[in-house]
Amino acid sequence: MHTYRTPRRRTRVTVAAAIAVSAALTAPAAVSQAASDTPTPGAAGLGDPMFPLDGNGGYTVRHYTLDFDWQAPLTPFPASTTIKATAAQALSRFDLDFAGNELHSVTVNGRPAQTRRDGDELVITPKAGIPRGSSFTVKVDYTADPTQIRHRDDAIEDYGWIPTPDGTVLYPQPDGAKMIFPADDHPSRRAPITFHVTTPAGLTAVANGRLVDRTTRPDGRVRWTYDSEQPVAAQLTQLAVGKFQLIDGKGPGGLPLRDVVPDALVAPTKQYRDLTPDHLAWLRAQLGPYPFNRYGVLVGDTDLGVALETQTLALLPKADLLGTKVDAERNLLHELTHQWFGNSVAIATWSDLWLSEGHARFYERLYSQEHGGDSFEAAMKTAYESHDQWRYDYGAPAEPTEPNLFKRMRYDGSALVLYALREQVGADTFQRIERAWLTKYRGRSASTADYIAVASKVAGHDLSGFLRPWLYGPKTPPMPGHPDWVVAPVVTG
């Protein structure tokens, strides 16, 4: 996510709560064998401080298959989602995150199941309990409603199904995927996705990953099949329909590139889209190998001024690519950096969002300085001056609450933490920390505590005493190497 929005005030979440939730998301509870054999309900949510009911307990999704019979903009259409999962406990019932669509039927292992809607939870009770460790298949038939949109008063703005003149694009972040399909919708939970999307003739469907098949049916409608190739979090799912041109290219090392561009925007956006190979080469030099099998830019023909790091196919609104080169490159670099931070290495809880947005802003600004943009140091000095105010308004970088999740502190304020770390340990050690982090947790989720541990190991000494005040403290610490930098007084009125 890339934004320059103005933040608002918040209250604090405790460090202890965030650490407890992170542990709950990553460590199984110890139970007796006898107890584990008795079917019990899976948890309705993972207990994340931001969104307690997002994600679900009791099982692990192994694969999603989405079947969409897309009709026209803002028009409901038949849909089904098939989920293959493994029971982490003996299940008497379990939940899926699912919102805003008309439900028709649910089966578990081919047998009709009882269902109940409870807000954004779809509670499913199968005919028989599901043994711990066993595989099971859930099929949900429903009517998808592309008018479903929600709003946040932060950088996200509108999210869910976002219409375009001839189709739609998806903005699932932070937890809008449940408006698109039933899911285990938390950033720490990922699974491969197969997309089957049928469109009218003349329209193109695109999704994360690789185009596997395109088949024209006898009635003229076209069925598109995509394979995500690697596991993807629900909030990073992309599925767009419209009058697109698919523009193939090659990146460093022969990496397949595919831009998806509305017909009228192909020529106006070409100059900046063609910079992607250079951006990839620069980031590879900083961070190491690109973590996925392909990449591309989806140009959104929408007035929503929000970019999104949907996995392997970043969504950039047209305005981002129709302005100045410096601004376009900052936006392009930001979403590309997310493929490493946030997509490859996922956040364990929403309190860890600083690891994703802070890194994207850090490398965006570093690249911009080297390519005609503003001074990185000057930008960080400005952020430093405002940091106490941001702590007061939005909480410390690793202490957001839900209304203030995507506010300025998670962007420039979090990039400042990384800048301070680099000033403390030196540029060479900082780069080794970054590469060690991306190597150790590639394809996994990780927490703030994990980052501090990696940084400490690489630096050769405990950095928790340095990083924790920056990440959790009520006051901004002194900036290493810059004793003249001053934090402005907090305005509390």
Side-chain angles (χ1 to χ4, degrees):
M1 174 69 65
H2 186 278
T3 180
Y4 302 101
R5 303 298 174 205
T6 303
R8 298 192 180 183
R9 192 159 294 159
R10 67 178 289 285
T11 57
R12 264 173 220 253
V13 110
T14 65
V15 179
I19 293 172
V21 170
S22 179
L25 290 172
T26 57
V31 295
S32 69
Q33 184 62 46
S36 69
D37 291 339
T38 303
T40 56
L46 297 179
D48 192 295
M50 306 300 108
F51 305 98
L53 291 177
D54 284 359
N56 302 285
Y59 64 89
T60 301
V61 175
R62 301 302 181 191
H63 191 272
Y64 295 98
T65 300
L66 309 185
D67 286 277
F68 287 176
D69 193 13
W70 199 88
Q71 301 296 315
L74 301 175
T75 302
F77 59 86
S80 71
T81 295
T82 301
I83 299 171
K84 294 183 177 180
T86 301
Q89 67 180 66
L91 288 167
S92 60
R93 69 168 189 262
F94 58 92
D95 285 24
L96 290 170
D97 299 309
F98 189 54
N101 300 283
E102 180 184 354
L103 183 67
H104 298 308
S105 65
V106 177
T107 62
V108 177
N109 293 333
R111 303 175 66 187
Q114 294 182 2
T115 61
R116 174 171 57 86
R117 304 295 291 270
D118 183 7
D120 289 344
E121 296 294 311
L122 173 59
V123 185
I124 300 171
T125 303
K127 288 283 188 183
I130 301 172
R132 181 173 181 261
S134 66
S135 298
F136 63 100
T137 301
V138 185
K139 187 171 187 289
V140 182
D141 292 315
Y142 57 101
T143 297
D145 183 359
T147 67
Q148 292 295 321
I149 300 173
R150 295 184 180 182
H151 181 79
R152 289 179 57 87
D153 291 329
D154 60 14
I156 296 292
E157 298 184 8
D158 294 336
Y159 63 107
W161 298 93
I162 302 299
T164 63
D166 47 34
T168 189
V169 294
L170 297 188
Y171 279 86
Q173 197 179 65
D175 63 346
K178 60 193 173 192
M179 289 185 276
I180 316 301
F181 63 101
D184 188 14
D185 191 3
H186 187 271
S188 66
R189 302 298 183 94
R190 299 186 281 191
I193 305 176
T194 299
F195 303 82
H196 300 297
V197 187
T198 304
T199 67
L203 295 183
T204 298
V206 295
N208 310 83
R210 178 174 63 94
L211 176 62
V212 175
D213 185 59
R214 178 188 182 278
T215 303
T216 301
R217 303 190 324 191
D219 62 0
R221 288 174 62 81
V222 181
R223 188 174 192 252
W224 307 79
T225 298
Y226 287 86
D227 176 6
S228 72
E229 300 182 294
Q230 288 134 316
V232 55
Q235 62 133 352
L236 300 174
T237 303
Q238 185 55 259
L239 190 157
V241 176
K243 294 181 180 178
F244 297 130
Q245 288 190 32
L246 305 183
I247 303 169
D248 293 329
K250 292 290 185 183
L255 179 75
L257 301 179
R258 175 199 56 174
D259 288 345
V260 179
V261 191
D263 290 345
L265 295 171
V266 172
T269 63
K270 182 178 188 301
Q271 177 186 1
Y272 300 150
R273 289 187 293 100
D274 284 352
L275 297 171
T276 294
D278 293 338
H279 298 163
L280 279 161
W282 186 85
L283 281 169
R284 287 193 353 166
Q286 302 290 324
L287 305 175
Y290 176 73
F292 299 106
N293 294 345
R294 62 197 70 247
Y295 184 67
V297 171
L298 166 62
V299 180
D301 191 2
T302 169
D303 292 331
L304 182 61
V306 179
L308 188 62
E309 64 270 21
T310 41
Q311 189 165 302
T312 71
L313 185 61
L315 175 55
L316 276 293
K318 59 185 177 182
D320 282 4
L321 300 175
L322 297 176
T324 68
K325 183 173 184 286
V326 167
D327 287 344
E329 288 204 275
R330 283 190 60 185
N331 298 333
L332 288 162
L333 247 293
H334 186 102
E335 305 312 329
L336 180 53
T337 302
H338 272 306
Q339 305 302 313
W340 280 266
F341 295 98
N343 294 15
S344 177
V345 180
I347 56 175
T349 75
W350 280 111
S351 297
D352 303 312
L353 182 63
W354 79 274
L355 283 165
S356 176
E357 296 298 349
H359 274 104
R361 181 56 54 86
F362 179 93
Y363 288 103
E364 161 206 331
R365 286 200 175 275
L366 184 60
Y367 177 93
S368 186
Q369 173 183 264
E370 296 178 10
H371 295 80
D374 294 336
S375 162
F376 187 22
E377 180 177 307
M380 292 297 94
K381 183 177 181 181
T382 299
Y384 187 81
E385 292 169 357
S386 301
H387 221 247
D388 272 4
Q389 187 69 54
W390 294 344
R391 285 172 191 267
Y392 176 79
D393 288 339
Y394 322 124
E399 283 195 313
T401 56
E402 190 273 335
N404 297 284
L405 185 55
F406 289 89
K407 293 291 180 72
R408 191 70 176 268
M409 180 58 97
R410 253 50 69 189
Y411 296 88
D412 291 282
S414 297
L416 185 70
V417 177
L418 297 168
Y419 182 85
L421 176 61
R422 192 179 71 161
E423 294 295 286
Q424 176 74 7
V425 301
D428 290 344
T429 299
F430 178 77
Q431 185 177 59
R432 289 192 291 110
I433 289 170
E434 298 285 85
R435 286 173 170 249
W437 169 255
L438 293 168
T439 299
K440 180 172 183 177
Y441 290 105
R442 179 171 176 164
R444 300 162 59 192
S445 61
S447 68
T448 298
D450 293 326
Y451 186 81
I452 294 172
V454 168
S456 298
K457 182 176 181 180
V458 172
H461 59 276
D462 187 0
L463 285 168
S464 59
F466 175 79
L467 282 170
R468 286 193 173 278
W470 276 97
L471 291 166
Y472 298 108
K475 292 289 186 179
T476 305
M479 176 59 70
H482 298 278
D484 57 318
W485 286 18
V486 178
V487 183
V490 173
V491 177
T492 61

